[in-house]
Amino acid sequence: MSVLPTKRVRIYDVAQAAGVSVATASKALNDTGRMTEETRSRVKEAASSLGFRPNAMARGLIQRRSFTVGVLTNDTYGRFTLPLMAGVSEALVDQGVSVFLCAIEDDPALAKIHVDAMLDKQVDGIIASGKRIDRQLPVDLTNLSVPVVYAFTKGPSDAVSLVSDDAEGSREAVEWLKGLGRRRIVHITGPKTFASVEERAGAYRASVGDGARVLYGTWSEQWGHEAVAQIWGEDGDKPDAIFCGNDQIARGVVDALRERGVSIPGDVSVVGFDNWEIVAAATRPPLTTIDMNLKELGREAGRLVLALAAGATVEPGIRKLPCQLVVRQSCGGMPRS
């Protein structure tokens, strides 16, 4: 048996049900025009009960908007962009705005193709994101006809940029370890060429003071193993806490300590950075780590790009959003409420 297609509810039907003109119904649904709140509410209730969905193209023509935002990234692995993208979508879905993601790798030609396509689609704005905060995407996004917000990537000095507060996250990790009574805290981290590495290491040194020791290496579990082998091969007291530059290094550290019969967290507390669930939750014991709150970073980027698209004034510069310590079993202590 064939099913007849459902008839689309038109704004004419909403107007008739609410007892107003089509023009009044349109203004009420778009929150424009002058009318009583009772009339505006009556129109919206009629639209809801009828299941009215406004035509996006017609709405865009009226408001001169496409109700789309593009996210441009060279983070093709998605480690940072996927949680950020989830936050962007959460911020925009209630505004009736769709988000589409364009992965450009590190290819300037591909990046330009995607930017041109976004502009052809008349997006309301672009959110640029990347793999690190101290590198720009391989495309010039200045002087575009739409606003651009930079999130977890380097932007021009006169742009609106969002990053996680690496130094604050590092301080929180070290202060938590000190609060547990740990005094010989070593920092094992990634390459010195990363701005986030130096920012976290600087905050670590400031918190630990005399005796602070930083070991630089790669973003890998293997480096975590190698760093532990180096430290345990030396004479003298061993650390009673290790703060790691990311969760992969921390997982390698935990495995290397366990292979040496070191109790975690009995003998040594371990804290990571990133709160990459696939790594942190699977570590044994589960890893205490710093969450960079990338989802909230995405939400804020979504709110700001819409504000700019609406003509609001947004102060340019770098905005640092707070990180959060996620306490699991690898460092000891009870999770905070």
Side-chain angles (χ1 to χ4, degrees):
M1 182 178 68
S2 62
V3 178
L4 294 175
T6 303
K7 181 183 176 182
R8 183 180 179 91
V9 179
R10 302 168 301 166
I11 195 168
Y12 172 84
D13 303 311
V14 175
Q16 190 175 47
V20 299
S21 68
V22 171
T24 298
S26 176
K27 291 174 183 176
L29 293 173
N30 286 300
D31 288 319
T32 60
R34 299 176 64 181
M35 67 189 71
T36 66
E37 283 305 312
E38 187 275 331
T39 299
R40 198 181 299 276
S41 296
R42 190 169 74 250
V43 172
K44 290 184 176 182
E45 288 171 6
S48 178
S49 64
L50 291 172
F52 173 71
R53 293 177 59 223
N55 182 285
M57 184 175 293
R59 185 168 55 131
L61 288 171
I62 293 170
Q63 300 186 12
R64 296 183 180 179
R65 292 180 56 191
S66 66
F67 293 93
T68 57
V69 165
V71 176
L72 197 70
T73 183
N74 64 349
D75 176 26
T76 50
Y77 191 68
R79 166 66 192 94
F80 305 107
T81 297
L82 290 181
L84 187 139
M85 177 81 172
V88 172
S89 298
E90 281 188 9
L92 301 187
V93 66
D94 289 339
Q95 307 298 321
V97 177
S98 298
V99 185
F100 62 93
L101 176 66
C102 293
I104 63 173
E105 299 182 354
D106 286 306
D107 186 339
L110 181 60
K112 188 176 186 310
I113 289 171
H114 280 309
V115 171
D116 289 344
M118 288 181 180
L119 297 177
D120 287 343
K121 293 178 185 296
Q122 297 182 318
V123 295
D124 295 330
I126 295 173
I127 297 172
S129 182
K131 295 178 287 190
R132 51 191 292 184
I133 63 172
D134 54 357
R135 291 286 186 274
Q136 291 184 324
L137 296 184
V139 62
D140 185 5
L141 299 177
T142 59
N143 301 317
L144 296 185
S145 57
V146 299
V148 179
V149 171
Y150 296 82
F152 205 80
T153 193
K154 186 177 181 180
S157 59
D158 60 348
V160 177
S161 300
L162 300 169
V163 296
S164 301
D165 192 337
D166 286 302
E168 184 265 347
S170 181
R171 280 191 294 271
E172 189 167 0
V174 174
E175 291 305 314
W176 178 260
L177 290 169
K178 288 166 65 177
L180 296 173
R182 306 297 180 169
R183 293 295 177 264
R184 300 185 305 279
I185 306 170
V186 170
H187 185 36
I188 302 174
T189 189
K192 290 185 71 171
T193 53
F194 281 67
S196 58
V197 167
E198 284 298 86
E199 193 163 348
R200 294 169 192 175
Y204 153 80
R205 289 191 182 96
S207 293
V208 170
D210 293 340
R213 182 183 182 186
V214 180
L215 282 74
Y216 297 98
T218 61
W219 298 118
S220 67
E221 290 185 35
Q222 181 60 35
W223 166 232
H225 277 271
E226 292 172 2
V228 168
Q230 177 181 330
I231 295 169
W232 259 254
E234 299 169 348
D235 295 332
D237 292 336
K238 301 299 182 280
D240 58 7
I242 299 176
F243 168 43
C244 301
N246 78 348
D247 291 344
Q248 289 168 282
I249 295 172
R251 183 167 177 170
V253 164
V254 168
D255 288 347
L257 291 174
R258 192 170 58 242
E259 288 167 5
R260 286 167 172 75
V262 177
S263 171
I264 306 163
D267 298 325
V268 179
S269 293
V270 179
V271 177
F273 207 111
D274 289 348
N275 195 29
W276 191 4
E277 289 280 350
I278 196 172
V279 174
T283 302
R284 291 293 176 266
L287 186 63
T288 293
T289 181
I290 297 293
D291 193 320
M292 293 190 291
N293 282 336
L294 293 174
K295 200 170 183 179
E296 180 55 34
L297 205 71
R299 291 192 194 101
E300 185 65 11
R303 288 191 287 263
L304 288 173
V305 80
L306 277 195
L308 288 167
T313 300
V314 178
E315 190 70 23
I318 298 174
R319 302 180 180 208
K320 294 187 177 184
L321 274 65
C323 297
Q324 180 181 6
L325 180 71
V326 179
V327 179
R328 298 188 180 94
Q329 284 81 14
S330 71
C331 71
M334 294 297 294
R336 292 171 293 185
S337 58

